[in-house]
Amino acid sequence: MTKDSAALSRALNWAKRANEFSESGSSLDVYARLLYHFGDAKSGIEFEQNAIEELKRKGQPVVEQEEVLKRMRGGKKNEL
């Protein structure tokens, strides 16, 4: 919800640490979006795919994440 680069950078570091502690569909999704935002499209797409798999495993909806993945694959940055 912010465009502040410093805040987003801190969020990226916290999301990375959260996934090192315990991966969840939600934390993988946040990390994927931040990676993608900072220009690491390949890793962002990979983590978004992992998020979708994890959410599906737990029986949670994935409609939003699948749309995000579609936009990532299409190269759209500002809509994530």
Side-chain angles (χ1 to χ4, degrees), residues 32-52:
R33 293 178 194 223
L34 288 165
L35 285 168
Y36 190 87
H37 172 80
F38 280 105
D40 190 352
K42 182 179 177 184
S43 294
I45 289 169
E46 181 180 322
F47 274 92
E48 194 63 37
Q49 290 170 327
N50 293 342
I52 291 168

Side-chain angles (χ1 to χ4, degrees), residues 3-46:
K3 295 191 187 296
D4 179 355
S5 294
L8 289 169
S9 183
R10 286 190 304 275
L12 177 65
N13 289 328
W14 279 108
K16 180 180 179 186
R17 290 193 63 201
N19 283 299
E20 289 170 353
F21 177 71
S22 176
E23 289 183 351
S24 72
S26 297
S27 64
L28 288 166
D29 176 50
V30 169
Y31 189 49
R33 293 178 194 223
L34 288 165
L35 285 168
Y36 190 87
H37 172 80
F38 280 105
D40 190 352
K42 182 179 177 184
S43 294
I45 289 169
E46 181 180 322

Side-chain angles (χ1 to χ4, degrees), residues 50-63:
N50 293 342
I52 291 168
E53 290 173 17
E54 181 64 25
L55 290 166
K56 282 182 177 179
R57 246 192 314 274
K58 296 194 175 178
Q60 297 176 338
V62 294
V63 174

